[in-house]
Amino acid sequence: MTIVTKDNIILLNEKGRRSDGRKWNELRPISMVVGVLERADGSAIVETGGTKVLAAVYGPKEMYPKHLAMPDRAILRVAYRMTSFSVEERKKPHPSRREIELSKVIKEALEPAVILEEFPRTVIDVYILVLQADGGTRVASINAASLALADAGIPMKGLVTAIAVGRLGNQVIVDLNDVEDKYGNADMPIAYIPSTGEITLFQMDGTMSPDLFDKCLEVAIETLNKIHEMQKEALKRKYLKNKKD
Amino acid sequence: MISEIRKEILSNIEKEMIISQLTKGKRIDGRGLFDFRKINVIPAPVEKAEGSAFVSLGKTKVLVGIKVNPAMPFPDTPNEGIFVINTEFSPVASPLFELGPPSEYAIEVARVVDRIIRSSEMIKLDELVIIPGELVWMINIDIYALDDNGNLIDASLIGTLAALYVGYIPRVEVIDKDRKKIEIIKEERTPIPLKDMPISFTFAKIKDILLLDPTRIEENIMDARLTIAVNNKGEICSVQKGEGGGFKLEDIHLAKDIVIKKSNGIRKIINDQLVKKPRGKEAWNEIRRLSYGEDEES
């Protein structure tokens, strides 16, 4: 079954290959590097194909203004921003409604993993900068932010791992690129904490049959476990490097 | 007021140590007073930008990207293209940067870089006209600080130069001149027309000692800052003094002499990397290697 967009981009060919030649469940090359910034308390850069995301974490630190502090726990703040040149059309630097919504859902994806009760009256800031966008920036952001939080030494119940799954016709696909995100039939980003089994980000747009919906979730969890291993490896690499020094 | 907030608290012992070493002509990172840190230029990593560059100056890192779009020319320059330089100093780069509109400092850096590019006439604006008086190319240059370890001015300028040098303008066909109808052919690219490569040198004055390319800690205790830029011909093409302190006349003469003496060397360091370093996908391998600190000799 071949699926073609209206401007003749082949999303899926008769051999089951996608626009960039991948199989339905094949991930783009992923690179994760922890501790890339000098100034931030924790940082990570995550690349998924053409998508490049940098995350920096500061804190726990004193909350200003003080009345926003919580007496029993830390507050997690997340700002997701895209560079103006990360997309085809220049994005004006001031935050768009999309960036504000994404900041919120990313924060809520990370919150369940962070043991905020350890640091009452403080704030933990997570800043995410998309250096280049090619589909899946929110899930790359979650993967990067979770690594940066761990790098900052913030106690967590586990790493948060994220991936987007979706649908082209009747075919489930994993790790959507820009074109698939735009022209595919459905896009479902999911974040998951493997160590607690909680799903902490769950969105979908497009349409999906209940059967395919189940299949997507199943495939997503399978993939997330793989990405979780990559995250752990990335953290270990930094730890081992420091040990060597 | 904002420049006050920019400074961090530094312990007296650290401050005194730095100053006592400086009086002996030594710096805490082992550099000479008038040495730059290592300059790394990685051209064109961002494929969606019409020009881009990642630059590290020691541990200071910036990413500069260019987007070009057709726009109305300014009424007083109907036959010239437009360029706009903007800085985004987000908290990713430093705990002292905040979200929201650019700080005074970020605006100062953007304006200094803009002035250097403009005074040196680096970009041939008269070659950026699509329909005379009606439509010209607008070049948006956005400078993102990623890690502020001092001297964002020089790092920003180097990033801007590099992004411009690897940048391109897509071919444009005028379909209907009167209705301003054009077609942009993205695949056919011509380089951005350039004719100069200005180089800037930023000095800090700590007590009565002048030093080049201050690190963050040196910026923290500096009394004054001086940036001098010089073009291809060796003419001085911009100056900016910053911070609360002042410079003696002999400081300025000394700084100027160093700038004149060193500018060709720095220009060569940048040029060589623009030619030799990998671009596109492979550029990210270089960035990863640099960011991971496997190249830490600053």
Side-chain angles (χ1 to χ4, degrees), chain A residues 59-66 69 77 120-125:
Chain A
K61 57 181 190 180
E62 212 173 326
M63 179 69 169
Y64 289 107
K66 274 195 168 147
R77 288 191 298 200
R121 292 178 294 280
T122 64
V123 60
I124 299 165
D125 278 324

Side-chain angles (χ1 to χ4, degrees), chain A residues 12-26:
Chain A
L12 199 67
N13 69 15
E14 65 285 359
K15 286 179 186 148
R17 295 282 175 164
R18 291 152 66 178
S19 57
D20 48 10
R22 281 185 290 155
K23 286 183 256 173
W24 69 274
N25 63 349
E26 195 177 334

Side-chain angles (χ1 to χ4, degrees), chain A residues 72-91:
Chain A
D72 58 341
R73 62 184 180 92
I75 288 188
L76 185 70
R77 288 191 298 200
V78 173
Y80 163 100
R81 297 286 185 273
M82 301 181 96
T83 57
S84 58
F85 43 79
S86 60
V87 282
E88 266 335 307
E89 281 296 308
R90 178 174 186 267
K91 198 211 135 289

Side-chain angles (χ1 to χ4, degrees), chain B residues 49-52 66-71 80-83 123-131 135-141 163-173 182-194:
Chain B
E50 277 88 43
S52 65
I66 292 176
K67 294 299 285 180
V68 298
N69 285 300
E80 279 184 16
I82 299 166
F83 74 90
I123 306 172
K124 294 180 189 165
L125 294 175
D126 54 340
E127 291 182 21
L128 294 175
V129 180
I130 302 169
I131 305 170
L135 212 54
V136 298
W137 285 111
M138 175 157 87
I139 302 179
N140 273 296
I141 303 168
L164 281 168
Y165 263 80
V166 297
Y168 65 88
I169 306 275
R171 193 163 75 86
V172 64
E173 215 148 272
I182 55 163
E183 198 192 328
I184 295 172
I185 303 130
K186 281 221 155 174
E187 293 71 33
E188 291 179 40
R189 304 166 168 188
T190 51
I192 296 172
L194 304 173

Side-chain angles (χ1 to χ4, degrees), chain B residues 36-61:
Chain B
F36 258 111
R37 286 168 291 175
K38 187 159 197 266
I39 300 169
N40 271 297
V41 183
I42 299 172
V46 184
E47 287 157 35
K48 296 215 173 168
E50 277 88 43
S52 65
F54 175 95
V55 166
S56 69
L57 182 56
K59 287 180 177 172
T60 292
K61 303 182 190 89

Side-chain angles (χ1 to χ4, degrees), chain A residues 39 58 61 127, chain B residues 2-9 89-99 103 105 148 216 219-220:
Chain A
R39 298 302 307 276
Y58 294 93
K61 57 181 190 180
Y127 298 107
Chain B
I2 285 164
S3 66
E4 292 300 318
I5 298 170
R6 272 197 69 239
K7 295 204 173 181
E8 281 158 296
I9 298 161
F89 289 178
S90 88
V92 162
S94 164
L96 301 177
F97 295 157
E98 283 175 15
L99 291 175
S103 62
Y105 175 59
D148 175 19
R216 173 180 58 94
E219 278 184 351
N220 249 319

Side-chain angles (χ1 to χ4, degrees), chain B residues 2 6 31 45 54 63 80 82 86 91 102 112 129 134 143 151-152 168 175 178 211 220 248 255-256 262 271-272:
Chain B
I2 285 164
R6 272 197 69 239
R31 270 187 295 161
F54 175 95
L63 180 67
E80 279 184 16
I82 299 166
N86 172 54
V112 171
V129 180
E134 301 285 349
I143 301 165
N151 197 5
L152 276 174
Y168 65 88
I175 293 168
D178 300 325
L211 53 94
N220 249 319
K248 295 249 174 64
K256 185 210 74 189
K262 294 207 165 185
N271 259 326
D272 284 354

